Amino acid sequence: MRYLLVIILLFAAGSSAIAQTTDSLSFIKSKRMSDADLEKKKEGAFVTGLPDLSSDPVTGFGFGVRTNIFFNGKRDNPLFPYTPYLMKLKANAAYYTSNAKELVLGLDMPYYKGSRWRLRADLKLQQNPANLYFGLTQQTLGALSLPSDPAVTFNKYEAFDKARQTVRPGGAGEAAQVTDALSNRFRETEFMLNLKADYALGKKGKFRLMGGYEIQHLNYKTFEGFETDAIKPGSGDEVKAPNGFSLLKRDFEQGRAKGLKGGWVSLIQTALIYDVRDFEPDPTRGAYLELSNEFSDQIIGSQFSFDKVFIQGRYYQKLPFGKRTVLAGRAAVGNIFGDNAPFFEFQDQWSPDGSINALGGKQSLRGYRANRFLARSLWFANVELRVRLAEARLGKQFFGFGVAPFFDAGTVRDRWQDLNFKNIRISYGAGARIAWNQSTIISFDYGLSKEDKLFFFGIGQAF
């Protein structure tokens, strides 16, 4: 914990020093909003509190509250045309039908007091019993298979799920009759505190150098012997049965997966960023390039040693038709170094712009379940055509309504040297978008793949 105290003191000292600094605004001139978006930008402070209704095929239907307090300043503020907001406070709380629970608090201050610094802090408490696990190697690119009998495979997730639920004779260490309904699932309980700051480099400030510190405490549980809903073979009747041995626990005991006992994870985060997007929450033009790194080791108080590298590029181009038609694209590649990397670090790629669950789910391959494909290395790409269909003002609130057909692709490998364009998984579909006061984007996505059909609903865009 002494490392956490040092970081907090440095963060506070940096804030005090930054408050004394004002810099020429020439370094953000390239990020000026379009005239059309600038005209609609709301002045002063405002709240976008709304019910947090979401739908995810893994965590289920979620409800709660998502509150953002934006401080935009006045229109005569020199920063007004160049920043999405002067400060944003967020407080999100949600509960899901899978019994997942989450509380997230956050603070974001871009170009703090007109300086080149951006400060961010995030706190998260969450418990999710619906996480999925299909393995940690490129073999996950194969067909779905039962944890109890890998020789039995399925091309469709629906058939696979039904087979998992069917009662079977128990094996060694299991009850006489068991089900595999929860054998691909595990529960995660997480505490996380993250502090980071970045500094705009160069005359025009297009590059940013970021540093941060994150501390987590994680706890995991699998569901051996847990009584759950099952299907009686032959008749198809619904019954209750104890769950059999889980795939994650089996991989842990056989040395293929590390970290099932959880513990403390201490991380130093660094990134080099090139960012010329005109409006971060919903850009019409510009690019975002990033080289990011997470380092974890015992020397900084972590129970795990690994190093994660992630590279991504995003591009946004406004097209000359419609009210607001934008072609958006992203390509990314990542790798985990270190033999002691825990299984849970394979599940996401860290980015200063927000971690990305990969590979599968609403942030990468929208036609596949979250964490469907996991291995040490991966690449993925996304393309969207974001078409604004209509705009309206209700009182002092501005709303924009649009659609977004999309295409996703990606793959995983056990070594970065083996990454190529073979054995790619693709998904495609269409989404709807509602922009509320520009800064809050409500998304509806329906993704299809050869394995599944999935619907996602929530706040924010995939990229």
Side-chain angles (χ1 to χ4, degrees):
M1 294 298 289
R2 62 182 182 273
Y3 301 101
L4 177 59
L5 293 174
V6 170
I7 293 293
I8 291 173
L9 289 172
L10 288 174
F11 192 85
S15 299
S16 177
I18 292 162
Q20 309 300 319
T21 311
T22 55
D23 204 347
S24 167
L25 295 180
S26 62
F27 65 92
I28 57 170
K29 294 295 185 183
S30 64
K31 295 178 69 62
R32 190 181 191 279
M33 299 170 62
S34 67
D35 291 339
D37 283 348
L38 184 58
E39 183 182 351
K40 301 172 190 127
K41 187 175 178 182
K42 193 176 177 68
E43 284 188 289
F46 62 96
V47 178
T48 59
L50 73 164
D52 187 5
L53 302 177
S54 62
S55 178
D56 184 285
V58 176
T59 54
F61 179 77
F63 56 92
V65 62
R66 183 180 290 260
T67 303
N68 288 314
I69 305 175
F70 293 96
F71 299 87
N72 279 355
K74 297 297 183 181
R75 197 167 290 274
D76 59 3
N77 187 318
L79 288 170
F80 194 84
Y82 304 102
T83 60
Y85 40 79
L86 297 179
M87 181 170 67
K88 181 179 77 170
L89 296 169
K90 71 177 179 181
N92 304 336
Y95 176 82
Y96 300 83
T97 51
S98 62
N99 202 32
K101 300 174 277 288
E102 183 179 72
L103 172 66
V104 178
L105 304 175
L107 168 68
D108 183 15
M109 295 183 289
Y111 303 111
Y112 181 66
K113 292 194 174 183
S115 76
R116 292 172 175 262
W117 287 92
R118 180 175 194 162
L119 306 179
R120 284 186 272 194
D122 294 283
L123 174 69
K124 180 169 73 171
L125 304 170
Q126 68 98 12
Q127 185 177 84
N128 186 358
N131 288 287
L132 291 176
Y133 177 83
F134 299 96
L136 286 183
T137 71
Q138 64 190 49
Q139 291 182 358
T140 55
L141 291 168
L144 293 158
S145 61
L146 292 175
S148 57
D149 190 354
V152 180
T153 60
F154 304 86
N155 293 321
K156 299 292 184 181
Y157 195 92
E158 184 178 7
F160 163 72
D161 198 40
K162 184 176 181 180
R164 281 193 310 174
Q165 295 179 57
T166 303
V167 174
R168 62 171 175 83
E174 297 178 326
Q177 296 287 314
V178 298
T179 177
D180 287 318
L182 302 177
S183 294
N184 290 95
R185 293 201 174 200
F186 64 92
R187 185 181 73 193
E188 178 183 66
T189 304
E190 177 186 12
F191 159 83
M192 183 275 288
L193 175 64
N194 180 271
L195 304 171
K196 53 182 176 282
D198 64 57
Y199 184 81
L201 302 172
K203 184 176 179 180
K204 295 186 177 181
K206 294 181 180 181
F207 287 90
R208 305 202 312 267
L209 188 62
M210 195 227 76
Y213 176 78
E214 180 171 303
I215 188 164
Q216 302 172 323
H217 187 269
L218 299 159
N219 183 269
Y220 294 95
K221 178 178 174 57
T222 52
F223 297 105
E224 289 79 14
F226 186 87
E227 190 170 88
T228 187
D229 295 331
I231 298 174
K232 191 174 181 179
S235 67
D237 294 339
E238 294 184 359
V239 295
K240 293 284 188 180
N243 196 67
F245 215 61
S246 79
L247 178 61
L248 176 56
K249 187 169 184 179
R250 182 175 292 141
D251 280 0
F252 174 73
E253 292 187 348
Q254 295 178 0
R256 291 193 291 265
K258 296 179 172 64
L260 184 56
K261 295 182 179 180
W264 289 97
V265 182
S266 178
L267 298 158
I268 291 177
Q269 300 167 329
T270 54
L272 179 63
I273 302 163
Y274 173 81
D275 187 2
V276 290
R277 294 172 294 176
D278 60 345
F279 186 65
E280 287 181 25
D282 191 16
T284 63
R285 60 176 172 81
Y288 176 92
L289 304 174
E290 165 198 313
L291 170 61
S292 60
N293 180 264
E294 277 193 315
F295 173 76
S296 176
D297 195 84
Q298 293 180 357
I299 63 174
I300 56 171
S302 182
Q303 293 178 229
F304 303 94
S305 296
F306 59 88
D307 193 64
K308 291 173 69 172
V309 176
F310 184 61
I311 304 169
Q312 70 163 318
R314 308 178 192 177
Y315 182 73
Y316 306 89
Q317 178 63 56
K318 188 175 181 180
L319 303 181
F321 54 85
K323 290 180 177 292
R324 190 180 191 273
T325 303
V326 179
L327 180 65
R330 172 174 65 181
V333 61
N335 188 72
I336 303 174
F337 298 92
D339 295 335
N340 193 33
F343 80 94
F344 47 83
E345 289 296 334
F346 287 67
Q347 297 178 117
D348 74 271
Q349 298 297 314
W350 177 76
S351 163
D353 221 33
S355 292
I356 302 166
N357 288 112
L359 192 61
K362 63 184 178 181
Q363 294 174 303
S364 54
L365 294 183
R366 283 164 276 192
Y368 291 93
R369 309 269 164 154
N371 302 326
R372 172 63 182 88
F373 311 110
L374 292 186
R376 192 169 289 272
S377 302
L378 84 167
W379 72 257
F380 63 93
N382 314 97
V383 178
E384 287 188 2
L385 184 65
R386 300 171 181 173
V387 183
R388 180 69 56 83
L389 300 178
E391 296 176 346
R393 284 192 180 274
L394 300 176
K396 295 183 179 180
Q397 307 300 309
F398 170 80
F399 294 92
F401 304 91
V403 295
F406 60 82
F407 178 83
D408 308 323
T411 192
V412 298
R413 294 292 187 273
D414 295 332
R415 303 190 317 150
W416 65 267
Q417 297 94 328
D418 296 329
L419 286 173
N420 55 36
F421 296 101
K422 298 179 180 179
N423 210 7
I424 297 172
R425 295 294 172 264
I426 64 172
S427 66
Y428 57 92
R433 302 287 184 268
I434 300 175
W436 180 14
N437 287 334
Q438 297 176 291
S439 300
T440 300
I441 309 298
I442 305 171
S443 299
F444 307 79
D445 284 330
Y446 184 67
L448 301 94
S449 69
K450 66 178 184 179
E451 188 176 283
D452 221 340
K453 299 175 181 179
L454 304 173
F455 175 73
F456 302 95
F457 163 49
I459 309 297
Q461 306 198 78
F463 62 98

